[in-house]
Amino acid sequence: DADAGQKAKRGLLEVDATLEQLESEGRFPELEEQAVNTMAWASRWVSQFASPQEQRLFDEAVAGVEKARRAKQQAELQRRVRQVRQLGIAAYYKHPDAWQWEFEGAAADVSSMSDLPRAEKLVAEGRAALDRGDTGTVKRVTEQLWRLLPVDAQTRRLGHDSGLK
């Protein structure tokens, strides 16, 4: 019977939607914790190094995070947390020592890189650039070192070693 088939299909869709909602609610506390950690990390950098326009965007993104948290809107919360993270990263890289820190972090992982001889040459080049105060070269070398990292280390670096993805 076509009518019974349609009723069964609607019933399955409703069960599927309910399961999706329950699954989503189970992950929501983890997502909220990630949001709080990201906002805490980003607020330090934004408050010190962001332009007034970036600070306004950050305030709007934080308000969006809070609104999405209250409404338990997972997709919107993830989108807003990405905005907060991007603004934090932009502000972080305005710190005069950011590229030195990133280089030192990458150089510390040289033994796990996919091309050890190349990585060692890049580290030597980066150290020489640091001695000269050549931030452009330090940045270029650091980005090349990142490409030699294994995938799990690259993922950690993107989350600023926070364990967040």
Side-chain angles (χ1 to χ4, degrees), residues 27-83:
R27 290 190 306 254
F28 201 78
E30 181 182 327
L31 185 56
E32 282 185 302
E33 182 180 348
Q34 178 184 359
V36 169
N37 290 339
T38 300
M39 287 188 302
W41 172 83
S43 66
R44 172 180 184 238
W45 299 107
V46 169
S47 68
Q48 290 182 342
F49 296 103
S51 69
Q53 181 182 8
E54 289 169 326
Q55 289 177 355
R56 280 191 303 278
L57 289 172
F58 180 78
D59 291 342
E60 290 172 14
V62 167
V65 165
E66 292 305 322
K67 183 178 177 184
R69 282 178 65 197
R70 283 191 303 277
K72 298 214 180 282
Q73 296 172 327
Q74 185 171 340
E76 179 65 9
L77 180 57
Q78 288 173 322
R79 187 177 77 77
R80 291 301 191 153
V81 168
R82 270 193 310 276
Q83 287 177 334

Side-chain angles (χ1 to χ4, degrees), residues 78-98:
Q78 288 173 322
R79 187 177 77 77
R80 291 301 191 153
V81 168
R82 270 193 310 276
Q83 287 177 334
V84 167
R85 184 180 301 114
Q86 289 168 346
L87 289 163
I89 289 169
Y92 167 81
Y93 281 108
K94 290 180 181 180
H95 189 285
D97 295 328

Side-chain angles (χ1 to χ4, degrees), residues 71-150:
K72 298 214 180 282
Q73 296 172 327
Q74 185 171 340
E76 179 65 9
L77 180 57
Q78 288 173 322
R79 187 177 77 77
R80 291 301 191 153
V81 168
R82 270 193 310 276
Q83 287 177 334
V84 167
R85 184 180 301 114
Q86 289 168 346
L87 289 163
I89 289 169
Y92 167 81
Y93 281 108
K94 290 180 181 180
H95 189 285
D97 295 328
W99 282 107
Q100 177 183 345
W101 298 334
E102 292 298 315
F103 169 76
E104 294 297 346
D109 286 340
V110 74
S111 64
S112 67
M113 294 190 179
S114 59
D115 183 348
L116 186 58
R118 173 141 172 74
E120 288 173 341
K121 287 179 185 175
L122 287 168
V123 168
E125 183 180 349
R127 296 223 185 278
L130 283 174
D131 290 343
R132 293 189 310 271
D134 182 356
T135 304
T137 299
V138 172
K139 177 182 176 183
R140 181 184 52 76
V141 165
T142 303
E143 290 171 341
Q144 289 178 13
L145 287 170
W146 287 341
R147 288 192 277 282
L148 297 176
L149 285 170

